[in-house]
Amino acid sequence: MKNDETYILAIFDKNNQHIGMIDLVTIRRGIFQWGECGYFIHNQFWRNGYAYEALRKTLYIADKELEFHRLESHVNLDNDPSIKLLQKSGFEYECTRKNFIYEFEQWTDNHIYYINFDDNNNQQN
């Protein structure tokens, strides 16, 4: 955080139980103001709206406090719940990057979703 490289935000429910994490990583500042957003929710808390609520609040922080212009998120091709979450939160599909992330002992393709905060359709409140 001190070096504006990575911001890790813990997600807690109303009973103060840890249910997941969101991270914001600076890709490039200067004329870009570009970052990446990743998240996870522990599986016993899936489909309760926690990810959406946490992501919306994180987008506000990324826009208003950290002053990113663009955030992107990298999603496995078969992760439909994550794709729906991003779309519901204002992200748009940009492309599919081939052999982009090394996971599961191989290079995998990932969809790239993005949000630009100064777009009229993506104003964060």
Side-chain angles (χ1 to χ4, degrees):
M1 199 167 124
K2 266 195 226 177
N3 296 328
D4 187 42
E5 294 172 357
T6 303
Y7 300 85
I8 300 172
L9 308 169
I11 304 168
F12 294 89
D13 68 10
K14 292 178 181 167
N15 297 317
N16 233 11
Q17 185 173 13
H18 183 263
I19 60 172
M21 304 280 279
I22 293 185
D23 65 74
L24 297 169
V25 177
T26 300
I27 295 175
R28 187 146 185 210
R29 287 295 192 172
I31 63 171
F32 294 98
Q33 300 303 322
W34 177 21
E36 187 259 334
C37 178
Y39 47 84
F40 73 87
I41 299 291
H42 300 300
N43 62 355
Q44 64 267 38
F45 300 105
W46 288 357
R47 293 179 177 77
N48 288 305
Y50 294 122
Y52 177 72
E53 182 178 349
L55 183 55
R56 293 296 295 174
K57 289 179 192 242
T58 301
L59 292 177
Y60 180 86
I61 292 167
D63 179 18
K64 304 298 184 197
E65 295 180 26
L66 300 177
E67 299 180 347
F68 282 107
H69 160 70
R70 173 194 170 97
L71 280 185
E72 63 182 45
S73 190
H74 313 140
V75 185
N76 289 344
L77 304 185
D78 61 351
N79 192 343
D80 291 331
S82 189
I83 290 167
K84 288 176 185 173
L85 169 65
L86 290 168
Q87 291 171 335
K88 182 178 178 181
S89 300
F91 284 76
E92 296 180 48
Y93 172 79
E94 182 172 59
C95 65
T96 301
R97 291 187 184 145
K98 302 293 184 184
N99 297 316
F100 184 61
I101 296 176
Y102 192 79
E103 58 186 355
F104 314 118
E105 298 184 22
Q106 63 184 345
W107 288 100
T108 61
D109 300 345
N110 270 222
H111 292 312
I112 307 304
Y113 280 81
Y114 77 97
I115 189 168
N116 286 338
F117 293 114
D118 65 347
D119 289 353
N120 290 332
N121 295 335
N122 292 325
Q123 291 300 317
Q124 303 302 309
N125 297 319

